[in-house]
Amino acid sequence: NTIKKVKTDNSSTSSKKGISEDARKINSLDKESQNSLADYYQKVKERKAEFLKNGYSENWVKLNEQAERNRAHYYKLQEEKKQLLKTSTSKKSETIQNSLKDYQKQTQSILDGLSSIDDNFMEEVSKKRKEWLEADVKTPEQKAISDRLFNKYSVLKSKAQEKKKELAKSIAGILKKGYKSNFSIKADNVTPKAKTAFNEAKSLLDGFCGENIEQGELSVRARGSVRAYYSHEEHAITIKSDDDFETVVHELGHYLEHNNPDMLINSKAFLEYRTKGEEASSLNSIMNTRGYGWSEKAKQDKFFSAYCGKVYADATEIMSMGLQRLFTDPKKFAQEDREYFDFVIANARGEL
């Protein structure tokens, strides 16, 4: 297991301005619980070694008791963290709407800058994809037409990948506020394509994330066809070998949320405010698919994707989906949901 112990003095967080007291407490609980989990796995390892050497010895019993104490302490701290997060979220959800109304003036210059960006190629790709998906394939002649449409879409999509990277760089240039980034990404044991994707994603967020936003060290792994995810306990992102910068930006959103309690509080408050009174439903039923687990639920609201409203106990998809949208289709994002657009920028900059 790659879970490591972390410093619990909170020196990096305490020295930053604009961090709420609740966030400091959540951060402290989180670090202490991570250390309890690391201690648990260490005792499990020692317990296994003792059993292989001496069976159920007196020392094995002692190691087992220590392991169980560490595990119990971990769950206790995690529960305290969740309760504090819930309370903080409720308080923040009452003021988040007014905060965003006030912040809207600050994003107008960003919208003015985005107006000069040419992103029409994305609409052309979407149009070709729609033509291909809607084509009938009941007869051999229709299938031949469908195949030609697919080929045109594939060629256009491939050409659009490089344009999409150029677009993202232009967007990043408009969003950057000159903040000094302290991202440190370890991506040594991944494919060249995956490493490039991480470097591209990192460059987009450098200078955009606020100075009070904790970034720190992060490991990167590329594994076959696994569904991308972020592990907070391991401080690691896992992606497929051929994932692009969009996927990495999405997972970096999870990393930022997990390591910045104020950002997480804001995200959960925004989700709570936007979906007030709405019941969570199965993602499979909302999105008419079978691709999600039976326990994966969301609150749909008017988000560009129902996945934005996915429900977690101590996480959200608000920043992950929002950052991904911001760096791929910002003008449409702002036109269709200005409030969400403003929220992502304000939260990433640590200005809420």
Side-chain angles (χ1 to χ4, degrees), residues 273-352:
Y273 144 66
R274 284 283 294 257
T275 61
K276 189 175 182 179
E278 184 179 342
E279 292 292 326
S281 302
S282 162
L283 267 171
N284 282 330
S285 63
I286 295 173
M287 302 182 78
N288 193 26
T289 182
R290 296 180 181 179
Y292 298 103
W294 65 270
S295 63
E296 292 185 270
K297 296 183 178 182
K299 295 182 178 181
Q300 192 170 7
D301 187 54
K302 60 175 184 179
F303 296 127
F304 61 85
S305 167
Y307 197 77
C308 297
K310 187 177 177 182
V311 177
Y312 298 91
D314 57 356
T316 77
E317 291 289 341
I318 292 295
M319 286 303 290
S320 291
M321 293 292 287
L323 284 170
Q324 188 174 346
R325 183 77 159 180
L326 185 64
F327 284 111
T328 53
D329 204 354
K331 287 195 284 188
K332 192 172 182 181
F333 189 12
Q335 289 165 2
E336 295 181 351
D337 198 340
R338 176 65 184 275
E339 188 176 56
Y340 191 3
F341 173 86
D342 290 340
F343 173 81
V344 172
I345 294 171
N347 206 22
R349 286 177 169 177
E351 294 177 344
L352 271 179

Coordinates of all heavy atoms in Angstrom, one line a residue, residues 273-352:
Y273 N -27.3 24.7 -2.7 CA -28.1 25.9 -3.1 C -28.8 25.6 -4.4 O -30.0 25.9 -4.6 CB -27.2 27.1 -3.2 CG -27.6 28.1 -4.2 CD1 -28.8 28.8 -4.2 CD2 -26.7 28.4 -5.3 CE1 -29.1 29.7 -5.2 CE2 -27.0 29.3 -6.3 CZ -28.2 29.9 -6.3 OH -28.5 30.8 -7.2
R274 N -28.1 25.1 -5.4 CA -28.7 24.9 -6.8 C -29.7 23.8 -6.8 O -30.6 23.8 -7.7 CB -27.6 24.6 -7.8 CG -26.7 25.9 -8.1 CD -27.5 26.7 -9.1 NE -27.6 26.0 -10.4 CZ -26.9 26.3 -11.5 NH1 -25.9 27.2 -11.5 NH2 -27.1 25.6 -12.6
T275 N -29.6 22.8 -5.9 CA -30.5 21.7 -6.0 C -31.5 21.6 -4.8 O -32.0 20.5 -4.5 CB -29.7 20.4 -6.1 OG1 -28.9 20.2 -4.9 CG2 -28.8 20.3 -7.3
K276 N -31.7 22.7 -4.2 CA -32.5 22.7 -3.0 C -33.9 22.2 -3.3 O -34.6 22.6 -4.2 CB -32.7 24.2 -2.5 CG -33.4 24.3 -1.1 CD -33.4 25.7 -0.6 CE -34.0 25.8 0.8 NZ -34.0 27.2 1.3
G277 N -34.3 21.2 -2.5 CA -35.6 20.6 -2.6 C -35.7 19.4 -3.7 O -36.7 18.8 -3.8
E278 N -34.6 19.2 -4.3 CA -34.5 18.1 -5.4 C -34.0 16.8 -4.8 O -33.1 16.8 -4.0 CB -33.6 18.6 -6.5 CG -33.6 17.6 -7.7 CD -32.7 18.0 -8.8 OE1 -32.3 19.3 -8.8 OE2 -32.3 17.2 -9.6
E279 N -34.7 15.7 -5.1 CA -34.3 14.4 -4.7 C -33.2 13.8 -5.6 O -33.3 14.0 -6.8 CB -35.5 13.5 -4.6 CG -36.5 13.8 -3.5 CD -36.0 13.6 -2.1 OE1 -35.2 12.7 -1.9 OE2 -36.3 14.4 -1.2
A280 N -32.2 13.1 -5.0 CA -31.2 12.5 -5.9 C -31.8 11.3 -6.6 O -32.6 10.5 -6.0 CB -30.0 12.0 -5.0
S281 N -31.4 11.1 -7.8 CA -31.9 10.0 -8.7 C -30.7 9.2 -9.2 O -29.6 9.7 -9.3 CB -32.8 10.5 -9.8 OG -33.9 11.2 -9.3
S282 N -30.9 8.0 -9.7 CA -29.9 7.2 -10.3 C -29.3 7.9 -11.5 O -30.1 8.3 -12.4 CB -30.5 5.8 -10.6 OG -29.6 5.1 -11.6
L283 N -28.0 7.9 -11.6 CA -27.4 8.5 -12.8 C -27.7 7.7 -14.1 O -27.9 8.3 -15.1 CB -25.8 8.5 -12.6 CG -25.2 9.8 -12.1 CD1 -23.8 9.6 -11.7 CD2 -25.4 11.0 -13.0
N284 N -27.9 6.4 -13.9 CA -28.3 5.6 -15.1 C -29.6 6.0 -15.6 O -29.8 6.1 -16.8 CB -28.3 4.1 -14.7 CG -26.8 3.5 -14.7 OD1 -26.0 4.0 -15.4 ND2 -26.6 2.6 -13.8
S285 N -30.6 6.3 -14.7 CA -31.9 6.6 -15.2 C -31.9 8.1 -15.7 O -32.6 8.3 -16.7 CB -32.9 6.5 -14.0 OG -32.6 7.4 -12.9
I286 N -31.2 9.0 -15.1 CA -31.2 10.4 -15.5 C -30.5 10.5 -16.9 O -31.0 11.1 -17.8 CB -30.4 11.3 -14.6 CG1 -31.1 11.4 -13.2 CG2 -30.2 12.7 -15.2 CD1 -30.2 12.1 -12.2
M287 N -29.4 9.7 -17.1 CA -28.7 9.8 -18.4 C -29.0 8.7 -19.4 O -28.3 8.6 -20.4 CB -27.2 9.9 -18.0 CG -26.8 11.0 -17.1 SD -25.1 11.1 -16.7 CE -24.4 11.9 -18.2
N288 N -29.9 7.9 -19.0 CA -30.4 6.8 -19.9 C -29.2 5.9 -20.4 O -29.0 5.8 -21.6 CB -31.1 7.4 -21.1 CG -31.9 6.4 -21.9 OD1 -32.3 5.3 -21.4 ND2 -32.0 6.6 -23.2
T289 N -28.5 5.4 -19.4 CA -27.4 4.6 -19.7 C -27.3 3.5 -18.6 O -28.0 3.5 -17.7 CB -26.1 5.4 -19.7 OG1 -25.0 4.6 -20.0 CG2 -25.8 6.0 -18.3
R290 N -26.3 2.5 -18.9 CA -26.1 1.5 -17.9 C -24.6 1.6 -17.4 O -24.1 0.6 -16.8 CB -26.3 0.1 -18.5 CG -27.8 -0.1 -18.8 CD -28.0 -1.5 -19.4 NE -29.4 -1.8 -19.8 CZ -29.8 -2.9 -20.3 NH1 -29.0 -3.9 -20.6 NH2 -31.1 -3.1 -20.6
G291 N -24.0 2.7 -17.7 CA -22.5 2.8 -17.4 C -22.1 3.1 -16.0 O -20.9 3.1 -15.7
Y292 N -23.1 3.4 -15.2 CA -22.7 3.8 -13.8 C -23.2 2.7 -12.8 O -24.1 1.9 -13.1 CB -23.4 5.1 -13.4 CG -22.9 6.3 -14.3 CD1 -23.7 6.8 -15.3 CD2 -21.7 6.8 -14.1 CE1 -23.3 7.8 -16.1 CE2 -21.2 7.9 -14.9 CZ -22.1 8.4 -15.9 OH -21.6 9.4 -16.6
G293 N -22.6 2.7 -11.6 CA -22.9 1.8 -10.6 C -24.3 2.1 -10.0 O -24.8 3.2 -10.1
W294 N -24.9 1.1 -9.4 CA -26.3 1.2 -8.9 C -26.4 2.3 -7.8 O -27.4 2.9 -7.6 CB -26.8 -0.1 -8.3 CG -26.0 -0.6 -7.1 CD1 -24.9 -1.4 -7.1 CD2 -26.3 -0.3 -5.8 NE1 -24.5 -1.6 -5.9 CE2 -25.3 -1.0 -5.0 CE3 -27.3 0.4 -5.1 CZ2 -25.3 -0.9 -3.6 CZ3 -27.2 0.5 -3.7 CH2 -26.3 -0.2 -3.0
S295 N -25.3 2.5 -7.1 CA -25.3 3.5 -6.0 C -25.0 4.9 -6.4 O -25.0 5.8 -5.6 CB -24.3 3.0 -4.9 OG -23.0 3.1 -5.4
E296 N -24.6 5.1 -7.7 CA -24.2 6.5 -8.1 C -25.5 7.3 -8.5 O -26.2 7.0 -9.4 CB -23.3 6.4 -9.4 CG -21.9 5.8 -9.1 CD -21.0 5.8 -10.3 OE1 -21.0 4.8 -11.0 OE2 -20.3 6.8 -10.4
K297 N -25.7 8.3 -7.7 CA -26.8 9.2 -7.8 C -26.5 10.6 -8.0 O -25.4 11.0 -7.7 CB -27.8 9.0 -6.6 CG -28.3 7.6 -6.4 CD -29.3 7.5 -5.3 CE -29.9 6.1 -5.2 NZ -30.9 6.0 -4.1
A298 N -27.4 11.4 -8.5 CA -27.1 12.8 -8.7 C -28.4 13.6 -8.6 O -29.5 13.1 -8.7 CB -26.5 13.0 -10.1
K299 N -28.2 15.0 -8.4 CA -29.3 15.9 -8.5 C -29.1 16.7 -9.8 O -28.1 17.4 -9.9 CB -29.3 16.8 -7.3 CG -29.6 16.0 -6.0 CD -29.6 16.9 -4.8 CE -30.0 16.1 -3.5 NZ -30.0 17.0 -2.3
Q300 N -30.1 16.7 -10.7 CA -29.8 17.1 -12.1 C -29.8 18.6 -12.2 O -28.9 19.2 -13.0 CB -31.0 16.6 -12.9 CG -30.7 16.7 -14.4 CD -31.7 16.0 -15.2 OE1 -32.7 15.4 -14.7 NE2 -31.5 15.9 -16.5
D301 N -30.6 19.4 -11.6 CA -30.7 20.9 -11.7 C -30.7 21.2 -13.2 O -31.3 20.5 -14.0 CB -29.6 21.5 -11.0 CG -29.7 23.0 -10.9 OD1 -30.7 23.5 -10.4 OD2 -28.7 23.7 -11.3
K302 N -30.1 22.3 -13.5 CA -30.0 22.8 -15.0 C -28.5 22.7 -15.4 O -28.1 23.4 -16.4 CB -30.5 24.2 -15.1 CG -29.8 25.2 -14.3 CD -30.3 26.6 -14.6 CE -29.5 27.7 -13.8 NZ -30.0 29.1 -14.1
F303 N -27.7 21.9 -14.7 CA -26.3 21.7 -15.1 C -26.2 21.2 -16.6 O -27.1 20.5 -17.1 CB -25.6 20.8 -14.2 CG -25.6 21.2 -12.8 CD1 -26.0 20.4 -11.7 CD2 -25.0 22.4 -12.4 CE1 -25.9 20.8 -10.4 CE2 -25.0 22.9 -11.1 CZ -25.4 22.0 -10.1
F304 N -25.1 21.6 -17.2 CA -24.9 21.1 -18.6 C -24.8 19.6 -18.7 O -25.0 19.0 -19.8 CB -23.6 21.8 -19.2 CG -22.3 21.4 -18.5 CD1 -21.6 20.3 -18.8 CD2 -21.8 22.3 -17.5 CE1 -20.4 20.0 -18.2 CE2 -20.6 22.0 -16.9 CZ -19.9 20.8 -17.2
S305 N -24.5 19.0 -17.6 CA -24.5 17.5 -17.5 C -25.0 17.1 -16.1 O -24.6 17.7 -15.1 CB -23.1 16.9 -17.7 OG -23.1 15.5 -17.3
A306 N -25.9 16.1 -16.0 CA -26.4 15.7 -14.7 C -25.3 15.2 -13.8 O -25.4 15.2 -12.6 CB -27.4 14.6 -14.9
Y307 N -24.2 14.8 -14.4 CA -23.0 14.3 -13.6 C -22.4 15.4 -12.7 O -21.8 15.0 -11.7 CB -21.9 13.8 -14.6 CG -20.9 12.9 -13.9 CD1 -21.2 11.5 -13.6 CD2 -19.7 13.3 -13.6 CE1 -20.3 10.7 -13.0 CE2 -18.7 12.5 -12.9 CZ -19.1 11.2 -12.7 OH -18.1 10.4 -12.0
C308 N -22.6 16.6 -13.1 CA -22.2 17.7 -12.2 C -22.8 17.7 -10.8 O -22.2 18.1 -9.9 CB -22.5 19.1 -12.9 SG -21.8 19.4 -14.4
G309 N -24.0 17.1 -10.8 CA -24.8 17.1 -9.5 C -24.6 15.8 -8.8 O -25.4 15.5 -7.9
K310 N -23.6 15.0 -9.1 CA -23.4 13.7 -8.5 C -23.2 13.9 -7.0 O -22.5 14.8 -6.5 CB -22.2 13.0 -9.0 CG -22.0 11.5 -8.5 CD -20.9 10.8 -9.1 CE -20.7 9.4 -8.5 NZ -19.5 8.7 -9.1
V311 N -23.8 13.0 -6.2 CA -23.9 13.2 -4.7 C -22.8 12.3 -4.1 O -22.7 11.1 -4.3 CB -25.3 12.8 -4.2 CG1 -25.3 12.9 -2.6 CG2 -26.3 13.7 -4.7
Y312 N -22.0 12.9 -3.2 CA -21.0 12.2 -2.4 C -21.1 12.7 -1.0 O -21.7 13.8 -0.7 CB -19.6 12.6 -2.8 CG -19.1 12.2 -4.2 CD1 -19.3 13.1 -5.3 CD2 -18.5 11.0 -4.5 CE1 -18.9 12.8 -6.6 CE2 -18.1 10.7 -5.8 CZ -18.3 11.6 -6.8 OH -17.8 11.3 -8.1
A313 N -20.6 12.0 0.0 CA -20.6 12.4 1.4 C -19.6 13.5 1.6 O -19.9 14.5 2.3 CB -20.3 11.3 2.3
D314 N -18.4 13.4 1.0 CA -17.3 14.4 1.3 C -16.6 14.8 0.0 O -15.4 15.0 0.0 CB -16.4 13.9 2.3 CG -15.7 12.6 1.9 OD1 -16.1 12.0 0.9 OD2 -14.9 12.1 2.6
A315 N -17.3 15.0 -1.1 CA -16.7 15.4 -2.4 C -17.9 15.9 -3.3 O -19.0 15.8 -2.9 CB -16.0 14.2 -3.0
T316 N -17.5 16.4 -4.5 CA -18.5 16.8 -5.5 C -17.8 16.7 -6.8 O -16.6 16.4 -7.0 CB -18.9 18.3 -5.3 OG1 -17.9 19.2 -5.9 CG2 -19.3 18.7 -3.9
E317 N -18.6 16.8 -7.9 CA -18.1 16.9 -9.3 C -18.2 18.4 -9.8 O -17.9 18.6 -10.9 CB -19.0 16.0 -10.2 CG -18.8 14.5 -10.0 CD -17.5 14.0 -10.4 OE1 -16.8 14.7 -11.2 OE2 -17.1 12.9 -9.9
I318 N -18.5 19.3 -8.9 CA -18.7 20.7 -9.3 C -17.5 21.3 -9.9 O -17.5 21.9 -11.0 CB -19.2 21.5 -8.1 CG1 -20.6 21.1 -7.7 CG2 -19.2 23.0 -8.4 CD1 -21.7 21.4 -8.7
M319 N -16.3 21.2 -9.2 CA -15.1 21.8 -9.7 C -14.5 21.0 -10.9 O -14.0 21.5 -11.8 CB -14.1 22.0 -8.6 CG -14.4 23.1 -7.6 SD -14.6 24.7 -8.4 CE -12.9 25.0 -8.9
S320 N -14.6 19.7 -10.7 CA -14.0 18.8 -11.8 C -14.7 19.0 -13.1 O -14.0 19.3 -14.2 CB -14.1 17.3 -11.4 OG -13.3 17.1 -10.3
M321 N -16.0 18.9 -13.1 CA -16.8 19.1 -14.4 C -16.7 20.6 -14.8 O -16.6 20.9 -16.0 CB -18.2 18.7 -14.1 CG -18.4 17.3 -13.9 SD -18.1 16.2 -15.4 CE -19.5 16.6 -16.4
G322 N -16.7 21.5 -13.8 CA -16.6 22.9 -14.2 C -15.3 23.3 -14.8 O -15.3 24.1 -15.8
L323 N -14.2 22.9 -14.2 CA -12.9 23.2 -14.8 C -12.7 22.6 -16.2 O -12.2 23.2 -17.1 CB -11.8 22.7 -13.9 CG -11.5 23.5 -12.6 CD1 -10.6 22.7 -11.7 CD2 -10.9 24.8 -12.9
Q324 N -13.2 21.4 -16.4 CA -13.2 20.7 -17.7 C -13.9 21.5 -18.7 O -13.4 21.8 -19.8 CB -13.7 19.3 -17.6 CG -13.6 18.4 -18.8 CD -14.0 17.0 -18.6 OE1 -14.2 16.6 -17.5 NE2 -14.2 16.3 -19.7
R325 N -15.1 22.0 -18.3 CA -15.9 22.8 -19.3 C -15.3 24.2 -19.5 O -15.3 24.7 -20.7 CB -17.3 23.0 -18.6 CG -18.3 23.8 -19.4 CD -18.9 22.9 -20.5 NE -20.2 23.5 -21.0 CZ -20.9 22.9 -21.9 NH1 -20.5 21.8 -22.5 NH2 -22.0 23.4 -22.3
L326 N -14.7 24.7 -18.5 CA -14.1 26.1 -18.6 C -12.9 26.1 -19.6 O -12.7 27.0 -20.4 CB -13.5 26.5 -17.2 CG -13.0 27.9 -17.1 CD1 -14.0 28.9 -17.4 CD2 -12.3 28.1 -15.7
F327 N -12.2 25.0 -19.7 CA -11.0 24.9 -20.6 C -11.3 24.3 -21.9 O -10.4 24.2 -22.8 CB -9.9 24.2 -19.9 CG -9.2 25.0 -18.8 CD1 -9.3 24.6 -17.5 CD2 -8.4 26.1 -19.2 CE1 -8.7 25.4 -16.5 CE2 -7.8 26.8 -18.2 CZ -7.9 26.5 -16.9
T328 N -12.6 23.9 -22.2 CA -12.9 23.3 -23.5 C -14.0 24.1 -24.2 O -14.0 24.1 -25.4 CB -13.3 21.9 -23.3 OG1 -14.4 21.8 -22.4 CG2 -12.2 21.0 -22.9
D329 N -14.9 24.7 -23.5 CA -16.0 25.4 -24.1 C -16.5 26.5 -23.2 O -17.7 26.6 -22.8 CB -17.2 24.4 -24.4 CG -18.1 24.8 -25.5 OD1 -17.9 26.0 -26.0 OD2 -19.0 24.1 -25.9
P330 N -15.6 27.5 -22.9 CA -16.0 28.5 -21.9 C -17.1 29.5 -22.3 O -17.9 29.9 -21.5 CB -14.6 29.3 -21.8 CG -13.9 29.1 -23.1 CD -14.3 27.7 -23.5
K331 N -17.1 29.8 -23.6 CA -18.2 30.8 -24.0 C -19.6 30.2 -23.9 O -20.5 30.8 -23.4 CB -17.9 31.2 -25.5 CG -16.7 32.2 -25.6 CD -16.7 32.9 -27.0 CE -16.2 32.0 -28.1 NZ -16.0 32.8 -29.3
K332 N -19.7 28.9 -24.3 CA -21.0 28.3 -24.2 C -21.3 28.1 -22.7 O -22.5 28.2 -22.3 CB -21.0 26.9 -24.9 CG -22.3 26.3 -25.0 CD -22.3 25.1 -25.9 CE -23.6 24.4 -26.1 NZ -23.6 23.2 -27.0
F333 N -20.3 27.8 -21.9 CA -20.5 27.6 -20.5 C -21.0 28.9 -19.8 O -22.0 28.8 -19.1 CB -19.1 27.2 -19.8 CG -19.1 26.8 -18.4 CD1 -20.3 26.5 -17.7 CD2 -17.9 26.8 -17.7 CE1 -20.3 26.1 -16.4 CE2 -17.9 26.4 -16.3 CZ -19.1 26.1 -15.7
A334 N -20.4 30.0 -20.2 CA -20.9 31.3 -19.6 C -22.3 31.7 -20.1 O -23.1 32.2 -19.4 CB -19.9 32.4 -20.0
Q335 N -22.6 31.4 -21.4 CA -23.9 31.7 -22.0 C -25.0 30.9 -21.3 O -26.1 31.5 -21.1 CB -23.8 31.5 -23.5 CG -23.0 32.5 -24.3 CD -22.7 32.1 -25.7 OE1 -23.2 31.0 -26.1 NE2 -21.9 32.9 -26.4
E336 N -24.7 29.6 -21.1 CA -25.8 28.7 -20.6 C -25.9 28.7 -19.1 O -27.0 28.4 -18.6 CB -25.5 27.3 -21.2 CG -25.6 27.2 -22.7 CD -25.4 25.8 -23.2 OE1 -25.0 24.9 -22.3 OE2 -25.6 25.5 -24.4
D337 N -24.8 29.0 -18.4 CA -24.9 29.0 -16.9 C -23.9 29.9 -16.4 O -22.8 29.5 -15.8 CB -24.7 27.5 -16.5 CG -25.1 27.3 -15.0 OD1 -25.3 28.3 -14.3 OD2 -25.3 26.1 -14.6
R338 N -24.1 31.2 -16.5 CA -23.2 32.2 -16.0 C -22.8 32.0 -14.5 O -21.7 32.2 -14.1 CB -23.8 33.6 -16.3 CG -22.9 34.8 -15.7 CD -21.6 34.9 -16.5 NE -20.8 35.9 -15.9 CZ -20.8 37.2 -16.3 NH1 -21.7 37.6 -17.2 NH2 -20.0 38.1 -15.7
E339 N -23.8 31.7 -13.7 CA -23.6 31.5 -12.3 C -22.5 30.4 -12.0 O -21.6 30.6 -11.2 CB -24.9 31.2 -11.6 CG -24.8 31.2 -10.1 CD -26.2 30.9 -9.5 OE1 -26.8 29.9 -9.8 OE2 -26.6 31.7 -8.7
Y340 N -22.7 29.3 -12.7 CA -21.7 28.2 -12.5 C -20.3 28.6 -13.0 O -19.3 28.3 -12.4 CB -22.3 26.9 -13.3 CG -21.6 25.6 -13.0 CD1 -20.5 25.5 -12.1 CD2 -22.0 24.5 -13.7 CE1 -19.9 24.3 -11.9 CE2 -21.4 23.2 -13.4 CZ -20.3 23.1 -12.5 OH -19.7 21.9 -12.3
F341 N -20.3 29.2 -14.2 CA -19.1 29.7 -14.8 C -18.3 30.6 -13.8 O -17.1 30.5 -13.5 CB -19.4 30.5 -16.0 CG -18.3 31.3 -16.7 CD1 -17.5 30.6 -17.6 CD2 -18.1 32.6 -16.4 CE1 -16.4 31.3 -18.2 CE2 -17.1 33.3 -17.1 CZ -16.2 32.6 -18.0
D342 N -19.1 31.6 -13.2 CA -18.5 32.5 -12.2 C -18.0 31.8 -11.0 O -16.9 32.1 -10.4 CB -19.5 33.6 -11.8 CG -19.8 34.6 -12.9 OD1 -19.0 34.7 -13.8 OD2 -20.8 35.2 -12.8
F343 N -18.8 30.8 -10.6 CA -18.4 30.0 -9.4 C -17.1 29.3 -9.5 O -16.2 29.3 -8.6 CB -19.5 29.0 -9.0 CG -19.1 28.1 -7.9 CD1 -19.2 28.5 -6.6 CD2 -18.5 26.8 -8.1 CE1 -18.8 27.7 -5.5 CE2 -18.1 26.0 -7.1 CZ -18.3 26.4 -5.8
V344 N -16.9 28.6 -10.7 CA -15.6 27.9 -10.9 C -14.4 28.8 -10.8 O -13.4 28.4 -10.2 CB -15.7 27.1 -12.2 CG1 -14.4 26.5 -12.6 CG2 -16.8 26.1 -12.2
I345 N -14.5 29.9 -11.5 CA -13.4 30.9 -11.5 C -13.1 31.4 -10.1 O -12.0 31.4 -9.6 CB -13.7 32.1 -12.4 CG1 -13.7 31.5 -13.9 CG2 -12.6 33.1 -12.3 CD1 -14.2 32.5 -14.9
A346 N -14.2 31.8 -9.4 CA -14.0 32.4 -8.0 C -13.5 31.3 -7.0 O -12.6 31.6 -6.2 CB -15.4 32.9 -7.5
N347 N -14.0 30.1 -7.1 CA -13.5 29.1 -6.2 C -12.1 28.6 -6.5 O -11.3 28.4 -5.6 CB -14.5 27.9 -6.3 CG -14.6 27.0 -5.1 OD1 -14.2 27.5 -4.0 ND2 -15.0 25.8 -5.2
A348 N -11.7 28.5 -7.8 CA -10.4 28.2 -8.1 C -9.4 29.2 -7.7 O -8.2 28.9 -7.3 CB -10.2 27.9 -9.6
R349 N -9.8 30.5 -7.7 CA -8.9 31.5 -7.3 C -8.9 31.8 -5.8 O -8.1 32.6 -5.3 CB -9.3 32.9 -8.0 CG -9.0 32.9 -9.5 CD -9.5 34.2 -10.1 NE -8.9 34.4 -11.4 CZ -9.2 35.4 -12.2 NH1 -10.1 36.3 -11.8 NH2 -8.7 35.5 -13.4
G350 N -9.8 31.1 -5.1 CA -9.8 31.2 -3.6 C -10.4 32.6 -3.2 O -10.0 33.1 -2.2
E351 N -11.4 33.0 -4.0 CA -11.9 34.4 -3.8 C -13.4 34.4 -3.4 O -14.1 35.4 -3.5 CB -11.8 35.2 -5.1 CG -10.3 35.5 -5.4 CD -10.1 36.2 -6.7 OE1 -11.0 36.3 -7.5 OE2 -8.9 36.7 -6.9
L352 N -13.9 33.2 -2.9 CA -15.3 33.2 -2.4 C -15.3 33.3 -0.9 O -14.5 32.7 -0.2 CB -15.9 31.9 -2.8 CG -16.7 31.9 -4.2 CD1 -17.3 30.6 -4.5 CD2 -17.8 33.0 -4.2

